[in-house]
Amino acid sequence: MKKRLIAMTLAAVMTLSLAACGSGGGDSAGTEAAQTGAETSETEAESSETGAEAAGTDMNIAMITDSGDITDQSFNQTTYEACKKWAEENGAQFTYYKPDSDSDEARNASVDQAVAGGANVIVMPGYMFAAAIVAQSDMYPDVKFVALDVGEGDLCEKGVGEGYDYNPANWDVTEYYNTNNVYCCTYQEEISGYMAGYAAVKLGYKHLGFLGGMSVPAVTRFGYGYVQGIDAAAKELGIEGDVQVEYVCGGQFYGDADITAAMDTWYGTKGVEVVFACGGGIFTSAAEAAVKAGGKVIGVDSDQAPVIDQYAEGLTVTSAMKGLAATVNTVLTDIKDGKWSEYTGKIDNLGLVSDNPEENFVQLPIANTQWGDGFTEDDYRALVKAIHSGEVTISNDITAMPATAVAVTDYGSVK
């Protein structure tokens, strides 16, 4: 509790400082809103307000982007579209905010703006919002905070600060934020990563790559699950000696010339056939290089085929998805139905809840996976059933690269 009070004091000082300097002022509504969406967001709020009165709901929803924007074809866009659609269908007000820089201070300022704008439900996608939860959940006890992909480790890192040993089990996470108005969830990325790697090998790919963004836990779980799926499929086919994996992180969540050059080497020189591009906009480097060499790409977080395939038709084999939209819809509906108390203080780890792939929080996109004789939609459904029943187990341990029969070369980080 002592550290939480310290965090509150620091947050208050920070807010006053930002206001005095003119940063994050109430008229900016996040740079995105000011430059491209202020008028649109205002219109959205007004159009939804009529519905809110008719439906009798007082929900005023704000969504804040992390370091990207609502056109990233990934985490932010999926969350934004889910929130907006839910608000329109349920008669709630909705506005989104883009912080004016990639910093904890800017994200905190966007929270202040959202609350000043009347928001009583704030949806935050991504681990970067751990600092905002620690600093501001106590400041705004009447606001419901929904933090997607924020786990105990993220909250402890920001709450404990210097001296944190990166083992959340050694700390009481409830000391660092207000459990009465916050719901957090993470996803079992290792499962959809496994599915993607398993599918790729079953579809005939033998030289595979993993291009992560930053080496954060979520990215690593995706990657290590991917490697496990590759290994399992290779063993089933009896081709362990013929399958190899190149593994690297870019050190950032966007592509650039240096990362594209690394991917050019993979596809063009090493003969990599497909790369799992796992880290927001980093897929651009994989896609640019794949087109030159006739390679393929696997997307992440959402069904990225619509954006990746803009580089070349049929470029995307599949995508390892998180159920962001399903989470948004479930939580917002339960808030509307008066069930918020069932969420407060929880940090859920969402994965498979059903034999039916479409009902799960981690999955492959059925419409945009390139099914083939080696791996059909029926094969995918059978795999989901086997994982859900426990017949197939997937480790979520990220302390070390999984032991495999296939060859895995880990290059560390491009940057």
Coordinates of all heavy atoms in Angstrom, one line a residue, residues 152-154 156-157 160 163-173 176 399:
E152 N 0.7 -9.8 -14.3 CA 1.3 -9.5 -13.0 C 2.7 -9.0 -13.2 O 3.1 -8.0 -12.5 CB 1.3 -10.8 -12.2 CG 0.0 -11.2 -11.6 CD 0.1 -12.4 -10.7 OE1 1.3 -12.6 -10.2 OE2 -0.9 -13.0 -10.4
G153 N 3.5 -9.5 -14.0 CA 4.9 -9.1 -14.2 C 5.0 -7.6 -14.7 O 5.8 -6.9 -14.2
D154 N 4.1 -7.3 -15.6 CA 4.1 -5.9 -16.1 C 3.7 -4.9 -14.9 O 4.4 -3.9 -14.8 CB 3.0 -5.7 -17.2 CG 3.3 -6.7 -18.3 OD1 4.4 -6.8 -18.8 OD2 2.3 -7.4 -18.8
C156 N 4.0 -5.4 -11.7 CA 5.1 -5.4 -10.6 C 6.3 -4.6 -11.1 O 6.9 -3.9 -10.3 CB 5.5 -6.8 -10.3 SG 4.3 -7.8 -9.3
E157 N 6.6 -4.7 -12.4 CA 7.8 -4.0 -12.9 C 7.6 -2.5 -12.7 O 8.5 -1.8 -12.3 CB 8.0 -4.3 -14.4 CG 9.2 -3.6 -15.0 CD 9.4 -3.9 -16.4 OE1 8.6 -4.7 -17.0 OE2 10.3 -3.4 -17.0
V160 N 6.9 -1.8 -8.5 CA 8.1 -2.0 -7.6 C 9.2 -1.0 -8.0 O 9.8 -0.4 -7.2 CB 8.6 -3.5 -7.7 CG1 9.9 -3.6 -6.9 CG2 7.5 -4.4 -7.2
G163 N 14.8 -2.4 -8.2 CA 14.8 -3.5 -7.2 C 13.9 -4.7 -7.6 O 14.0 -5.8 -7.0
Y164 N 13.1 -4.5 -8.6 CA 12.2 -5.6 -9.1 C 13.1 -6.7 -9.7 O 14.0 -6.5 -10.5 CB 11.2 -5.1 -10.1 CG 10.3 -6.2 -10.6 CD1 9.6 -7.0 -9.7 CD2 10.1 -6.4 -12.0 CE1 8.7 -8.0 -10.2 CE2 9.3 -7.4 -12.4 CZ 8.6 -8.2 -11.5 OH 7.8 -9.2 -12.0
D165 N 12.8 -8.0 -9.3 CA 13.6 -9.1 -9.7 C 13.0 -9.9 -10.8 O 13.5 -11.0 -11.2 CB 13.9 -10.1 -8.5 CG 12.6 -10.6 -7.9 OD1 11.5 -10.3 -8.5 OD2 12.7 -11.4 -6.9
Y166 N 12.0 -9.3 -11.4 CA 11.3 -9.9 -12.6 C 10.7 -11.3 -12.3 O 10.5 -12.2 -13.2 CB 12.2 -10.0 -13.8 CG 12.5 -8.6 -14.3 CD1 13.6 -7.9 -13.8 CD2 11.6 -8.0 -15.2 CE1 13.8 -6.5 -14.2 CE2 11.8 -6.6 -15.6 CZ 12.9 -5.9 -15.1 OH 13.1 -4.7 -15.5
N167 N 10.4 -11.5 -11.0 CA 9.7 -12.7 -10.6 C 8.5 -12.3 -9.8 O 8.5 -12.1 -8.6 CB 10.6 -13.6 -9.7 CG 9.9 -15.0 -9.4 OD1 8.7 -15.1 -9.7 ND2 10.6 -15.9 -8.8
P168 N 7.3 -12.2 -10.5 CA 6.1 -11.6 -9.8 C 5.7 -12.5 -8.6 O 5.0 -12.0 -7.7 CB 5.0 -11.6 -10.9 CG 5.5 -12.5 -12.0 CD 7.0 -12.4 -11.9
A169 N 6.1 -13.7 -8.6 CA 5.7 -14.6 -7.5 C 6.3 -14.1 -6.2 O 5.8 -14.4 -5.1 CB 6.1 -16.0 -7.7
N170 N 7.3 -13.3 -6.2 CA 8.0 -12.8 -5.0 C 7.3 -11.5 -4.5 O 7.8 -10.9 -3.5 CB 9.5 -12.5 -5.3 CG 10.2 -13.8 -5.5 OD1 9.8 -14.9 -5.1 ND2 11.3 -13.7 -6.3
W171 N 6.3 -11.0 -5.2 CA 5.7 -9.8 -4.8 C 4.2 -9.9 -4.8 O 3.6 -10.7 -5.4 CB 6.1 -8.7 -5.9 CG 7.5 -8.6 -6.1 CD1 8.3 -9.4 -6.9 CD2 8.4 -7.7 -5.4 NE1 9.6 -9.0 -6.8 CE2 9.7 -8.0 -5.9 CE3 8.3 -6.7 -4.5 CZ2 10.9 -7.3 -5.5 CZ3 9.4 -6.0 -4.1 CH2 10.7 -6.3 -4.6
D172 N 3.6 -9.0 -4.0 CA 2.1 -9.0 -3.9 C 1.6 -7.9 -4.8 O 1.7 -6.7 -4.5 CB 1.7 -8.6 -2.5 CG 0.2 -8.5 -2.3 OD1 -0.6 -8.8 -3.3 OD2 -0.3 -8.3 -1.2
V173 N 1.2 -8.3 -6.0 CA 0.8 -7.4 -7.1 C -0.3 -6.4 -6.6 O -0.4 -5.3 -7.1 CB 0.5 -8.1 -8.4 CG1 -0.8 -8.9 -8.2 CG2 0.4 -7.2 -9.5
Y176 N 0.1 -2.6 -5.7 CA 0.6 -1.6 -6.7 C -0.5 -1.0 -7.5 O -0.2 -0.2 -8.4 CB 1.7 -2.2 -7.5 CG 2.8 -2.8 -6.7 CD1 3.0 -4.1 -6.5 CD2 3.6 -1.9 -5.9 CE1 4.0 -4.7 -5.7 CE2 4.6 -2.4 -5.0 CZ 4.8 -3.8 -5.0 OH 5.7 -4.3 -4.1
T399 N 11.7 -19.3 -20.0 CA 13.1 -19.1 -19.4 C 14.2 -19.6 -20.3 O 15.3 -19.1 -20.2 CB 13.2 -19.9 -18.1 OG1 13.0 -21.3 -18.3 CG2 12.2 -19.3 -17.1

